Amino acid sequence: MTNISRLSKKIGAIAESATLKVDAKAKALQAEGRPVISYAAGEPDFPTPPHIVDAARAALDDPKNFRYTAAAGLPELREAIAAKTARDSGWEVPASQVIVTNGGKQAVYQAFQVLLDPGDEVLVPAPYWTSYPEAIQLADGVPVEVFAGADQGYKVTVEQLEAARTERTKVLLFVSPSNPTGAVYTPEETTAIGEWAEANGLWIVADEIYQNLVYDGVRAVSIVEAVPALTDRTILVNGVAKTYAMTGWRLGWMIGPADIIKGAANLQSHLCSNVNNIAQRAAIAALNGPQEPIEEMRLAFDRRRKLIVDELNRVPGFHCPTPEGAFYAYVDVTGALGREIRGTTPRTSLELADLILSEAEVAAVPGEAFGPSGYLRFSYALGDEALLEGVRRIQTLLAE
Ligand SMILES: Cc1ncc(COP(=O)(O)O)c(C=O)c1O
């Protein structure tokens, strides 16, 4: 008998994605015929706009798409991404500094693989998207949480970041708009954080995947637009999933300084080679084609955002700041904990989420998936009727 474990320590330590777990539980109950309303999914409920699907169809008729292509991506797509980055992030980056990845998720993974040595620390503003700490740990880095609650609009301050900085700190993760909170940093806040990072020689990994989903006239200013000196030490992560309703197409990208991108391209060439050419052709149509369908989706999200935030704030014990971006409402539920409801007394948001699922048949993701307990995330990427019905069920349950 050998005492070598079956699974490596690194892989054995990975936690199952909590968001996918809640979604799977909701779907299993639905399959049993229970009328579960799920706010768990992190994806638009709209179909991909037809002109994008048409471009993919046309790509299937062209045999050159059946072959391996450059690992870093199709030249036309890298150009389209560079143009989008100049437009939306204010960085006139050459296409050679763009790599196309299998979703933003792979870009996040590669960013930390390329930057981190064992023990390097990454400042992770919390609540955070559930995959960041795993991606950091898989690169032998150490995630250092910096928490901002509802009282500060879920946005960390320079003072908090400075208090968490050590001589091992290498990277600041910057996500605006944020998943799970929908918080968007103002241009002034972004500049202050960017200048602090620049002054301390930190690297930035900026996840801009929700940058086009913003409301109330706000703009999510890129940290490299706010502090241009950071372009030599920043990796931007982005993709078509959220803005273009293309989550299943698996198309994202990373942008950074030439040496970093060269390193990431080397990694990707051994990991997965090029991204599916059909998805790449579709992404060219998404970025270069008409943007009206995207605006229609954004307006629908905006309407739902107002509906859900109003209703959530009517639930006894719930407090939901108005999110300015993405498609999530993040509710402070501490006021609803510690009280007996139908024979149980939920003391954590995990227990409250379980109670709401079993008693009201409504699925929301507990804060434990994104950092501290005491919160529930509601995605409002679902139709108006279900959107209202689900929150009303919670209102009824928690008013008992
Ligand atoms: C903040 C954030 N970044 C990146 C991603 C990855 O998106 P994808 O891999 O689908 O492009 C997600 C998806 O949920 C996300 O919420």
Side-chain angles (χ1 to χ4, degrees):
M1 278 284 280
T2 166
N3 60 2
I4 297 177
S5 62
R6 288 162 65 88
L7 224 55
S8 70
K9 287 198 180 67
K10 215 179 224 184
I11 300 305
I14 300 176
E16 181 186 355
S17 163
T19 46
L20 296 184
K21 199 165 149 188
V22 175
D23 204 38
K25 202 163 162 186
K27 286 193 175 121
L29 289 171
Q30 282 164 343
E32 285 171 16
R34 295 193 37 198
V36 171
I37 294 177
S38 177
Y39 297 92
E43 60 183 345
D45 55 322
F46 301 105
T48 303
H51 71 280
I52 300 173
V53 180
D54 288 345
R57 254 194 215 103
L60 282 170
D61 290 329
D62 185 349
K64 75 170 181 293
N65 293 317
F66 306 163
R67 306 285 170 227
Y68 288 130
T69 51
L74 297 175
E76 305 93 300
L77 178 54
R78 295 170 82 194
E79 289 292 348
I81 293 167
K84 184 241 184 308
T85 306
R87 222 165 40 232
D88 292 346
S89 304
W91 184 0
E92 299 273 348
V93 69
S96 59
Q97 287 175 229
V98 175
I99 300 188
V100 181
T101 57
N102 287 285
K105 209 171 239 186
Q106 189 184 357
V108 168
Y109 179 87
Q110 287 184 178
F112 291 121
Q113 288 291 328
V114 169
L115 288 178
L116 299 181
D117 279 317
D120 285 345
E121 294 175 4
V122 180
L123 297 177
V124 179
Y128 49 75
W129 179 49
T130 178
S131 291
Y132 296 133
E134 302 293 352
I136 292 164
Q137 283 163 171
L138 283 168
D140 296 321
V142 180
V144 176
E145 283 181 37
V146 183
F147 179 72
D151 54 327
Q152 51 188 101
Y154 302 120
K155 294 190 277 189
V156 295
T157 61
V158 167
E159 292 67 35
Q160 287 180 292
L161 293 170
E162 178 58 23
R165 188 174 65 85
T166 72
E167 55 194 28
R168 292 310 308 265
T169 308
K170 181 165 184 188
V171 183
L172 166 69
L173 176 67
F174 188 72
V175 190
S176 173
S178 148
N179 173 9
T181 67
V184 181
Y185 286 82
T186 65
E188 295 73 28
E189 289 162 347
T190 306
T191 303
I193 290 174
E195 285 176 347
W196 167 83
E198 163 67 5
N200 288 290
L202 299 186
W203 283 78
I204 309 278
V205 172
D207 185 339
E208 303 192 330
I209 201 145
Y210 293 100
Q211 85 180 154
N212 298 112
L213 290 172
V214 281
Y215 316 105
D216 294 338
V218 306
R219 190 167 159 254
V221 172
S222 177
I223 199 156
V224 287
E225 182 174 336
V227 183
L230 281 172
T231 49
D232 190 43
R233 276 205 308 276
T234 296
I235 296 179
L236 296 185
V237 170
N238 209 327
V240 293
K242 315 289 179 174
T243 310
Y244 295 94
M246 292 179 71
T247 45
W249 296 76
R250 311 310 305 134
L251 196 299
W253 55 85
M254 62 186 289
I255 294 176
D259 54 338
I260 294 296
I261 289 303
K262 178 82 178 76
N266 288 347
L267 169 63
Q268 188 164 320
S269 73
H270 293 294
L271 187 67
C272 58
S273 302
N274 63 278
V275 172
N276 178 328
N277 292 319
I278 309 301
Q280 292 200 62
R281 298 274 169 211
I284 295 170
L287 295 176
N288 292 348
Q291 301 299 304
E292 289 77 16
I294 281 59
E295 180 59 6
E296 276 170 35
M297 291 192 269
R298 193 190 66 82
L299 291 172
F301 285 138
D302 190 15
R303 196 189 59 245
R304 296 165 178 184
R305 174 183 70 111
K306 290 174 182 144
L307 279 178
I308 196 168
V309 171
D310 273 359
E311 292 298 325
L312 285 168
N313 276 317
R314 293 204 177 103
V315 179
F318 278 22
H319 165 55
C320 182
T322 302
E324 291 181 319
F327 38 67
Y328 307 104
Y330 206 62
V331 187
D332 181 335
V333 298
T334 44
L337 302 176
R339 193 166 65 75
E340 190 183 318
I341 303 160
R342 297 199 188 166
T344 50
T345 306
R347 303 208 177 273
T348 63
S349 43
L350 194 63
E351 290 170 4
L352 183 66
D354 266 345
L355 178 79
I356 288 174
L357 184 54
S358 58
E359 296 298 317
E361 302 185 308
V362 171
V365 186
E368 284 82 347
F370 312 106
S373 179
Y375 301 86
L376 290 179
R377 188 191 77 171
F378 291 78
S379 161
Y380 46 87
L382 68 166
D384 294 14
E385 218 173 291
L387 189 88
L388 287 176
E389 162 69 15
V391 185
R392 294 207 171 124
R393 287 189 200 169
I394 299 175
Q395 288 170 350
T396 308
L397 177 69
L398 295 194
E400 282 178 9

